[in-house]
Amino acid sequence: MMRFYWIIGVALATVMALLLVVGLDLFAMMLFQVPVAYYWLSRKNGLAVGMLCFATVVPILITGSLAYALFFGIMASYGLLLGILARRQVALGMTITLLTVTMFVLLAALSIADWGILNADLQTAFHEYVVKLESTNTKEAIAQAEMIAEGFEWIEENFVFLYFGGLLGLVMFMATAASVPLYWRFRSEVSFSVTNYQFRLLRAPEHLVWLAILLVGLWFWDSRSPNEVLRFLSWNGALALIAIYWLNGLSIVFYISYVWKWRPVVIYLLLLFMIVLNIIFALSIVGFFDTWLDFRRKASYIVQLRKSSNESDSDK
């Protein structure tokens, strides 16, 4: 059995090498966090350390850069942090928060250090995409390319006001995607309390609404008296809050599906439907107003009313 686990590690190392060769470094960087956390929670500490070694050694062999390899190792070590927090029965919401904050600080610092390169890569990617659209030589493609070029130009001008909030949201989504399945998988082995591991019970802190109000005030101030510092804080802060409330809205949907006993396929069809209609952002609105409306309590109340009604009908 132990040999099987090492085979998985070798396979992941091979996939990482292939991804690095073709230039998909970001995907390669995300390969080892979950395996490291899984092995640590399975009490296979040697395997977890072995995965960390794979995540560090492979980039050295492919790129020859020790600094780059150390960065890959640090990113993989977030899986170890996840495993340690889960083993200590830290609540799911707190684990996601700690992973998000620590990973965001690292990535934000690296982004600031290489800001010029980051901007150049962004402009290159935008230009190549527009050229690719224009090369089709159809009226629709050319019109679309012009519209996209205008959008890209606006993003380039306001990149600094959008990047860090978007980065925090992306990191939080990745931390959630890694943490939730592992907490669910090891819920019995680690003996979490019910509120510790269930994603559907995650709720955004109520005091965040004051931050939202503050950011609205900063945005209004910036719109009346343009100031780059205010714009940086308000726009990036708004993107971060949108991500937080989106996850809160998603957890509400999962809670409703649980208490109303939907089949699993229903919730995934609902999310697909929202994506197709481009209204998936509505989850952020639901998550925000949950501060006052407490949708979980209302959903449970409706279920209780139905039970009471059925019981009264059966007594007749």
Side-chain angles (χ1 to χ4, degrees):
M1 191 64 178
M2 191 65 68
R3 183 182 299 177
F4 173 74
Y5 289 130
W6 282 111
I7 290 173
I8 292 176
V10 172
L12 287 173
T14 303
V15 172
M16 172 181 272
L18 292 173
L19 290 173
L20 288 171
V21 168
V22 299
L24 298 176
D25 295 24
L26 181 61
F27 293 98
M29 199 180 298
M30 296 295 112
L31 274 180
F32 280 96
Q33 284 82 2
V34 172
V36 168
Y38 180 89
Y39 289 143
W40 190 263
L41 283 169
S42 301
R43 307 286 175 173
K44 298 179 176 64
N45 298 352
L47 280 166
V49 174
M51 296 303 106
L52 283 174
C53 292
F54 278 136
T56 306
V57 171
V58 172
I60 293 179
L61 298 176
I62 300 300
T63 67
S65 171
L66 179 59
Y68 202 51
L70 287 175
F71 177 68
F72 268 70
I74 292 172
M75 290 300 295
S77 70
Y78 283 107
L80 184 60
L81 176 60
L82 169 56
I84 292 172
L85 293 172
R87 190 188 284 186
R88 291 179 176 271
Q89 300 181 338
V90 176
L92 175 61
M94 181 57 67
T95 293
I96 292 173
T97 301
L98 291 173
L99 286 173
T100 299
V101 171
T102 54
M103 196 182 302
F104 170 75
V105 169
L106 172 65
L107 294 176
L110 289 173
S111 298
I112 293 171
D114 292 328
W115 190 251
I117 297 174
L118 190 65
N119 268 297
D121 290 344
L122 176 73
Q123 293 176 14
T124 301
F126 284 174
H127 178 72
E128 289 178 353
Y129 184 71
V130 171
V131 170
K132 183 178 179 180
L133 281 177
E134 291 175 341
S135 64
T136 58
N137 291 324
T138 63
K139 291 184 179 180
E140 294 80 4
I142 293 174
Q144 185 181 7
E146 292 177 354
M147 183 176 64
I148 291 176
E150 292 178 1
F152 285 167
E153 184 178 352
W154 182 87
I155 291 174
E156 288 176 12
E157 292 174 356
N158 297 281
F159 188 52
V160 70
F161 308 124
L162 303 169
Y163 176 77
F164 293 98
L167 177 63
L168 190 143
L170 178 61
V171 169
M172 184 165 52
F173 291 152
M174 291 191 300
T176 303
S179 302
V180 171
L182 283 170
Y183 266 66
W184 180 261
R185 165 63 182 80
F186 289 95
R187 63 190 182 280
S188 57
E189 288 90 334
V190 183
S191 300
F192 294 117
S193 67
V194 173
T195 56
N196 265 20
Y197 74 89
Q198 294 186 355
F199 173 71
R200 63 176 177 268
L201 297 179
L202 284 185
R203 194 162 187 255
E206 292 187 1
H207 62 264
L208 275 182
V209 70
W210 296 109
L211 178 58
I213 293 171
L214 173 63
L215 291 175
V216 170
L218 292 177
W219 173 83
F220 183 76
W221 188 358
D222 173 56
S223 65
R224 290 301 183 91
S225 180
N227 183 290
E228 291 190 349
V229 175
L230 295 179
R231 193 172 309 148
F232 178 85
L233 294 174
S234 60
W235 288 24
N236 280 304
L239 286 176
L241 281 183
I242 286 171
I244 292 171
Y245 283 121
W246 190 90
L247 281 177
N248 189 46
L250 183 63
S251 70
I252 291 169
V253 173
F254 274 88
Y255 182 87
I256 292 174
S257 73
Y258 174 76
V259 296
W260 288 3
K261 301 186 184 305
W262 291 352
R263 294 180 180 275
V265 67
V266 174
I267 188 171
Y268 297 116
L269 287 175
L270 174 62
L271 294 174
L272 178 62
F273 179 75
M274 295 178 72
I275 292 172
V276 171
L277 293 184
N278 199 25
I279 57 172
I280 195 68
F281 65 88
L283 290 177
S284 294
I285 300 173
V286 173
F288 177 74
F289 283 102
D290 182 57
T291 303
W292 299 279
L293 299 177
D294 197 348
F295 293 111
R296 294 175 183 83
R297 183 176 61 82
K298 293 183 183 301
S300 298
Y301 180 69
I302 292 172
V303 171
Q304 194 62 40
L305 282 180
R306 288 177 179 174
K307 287 182 178 179
S308 301
S309 177
N310 292 336
E311 289 174 359
S312 62
D313 290 341
S314 62
D315 292 338
K316 293 180 180 179

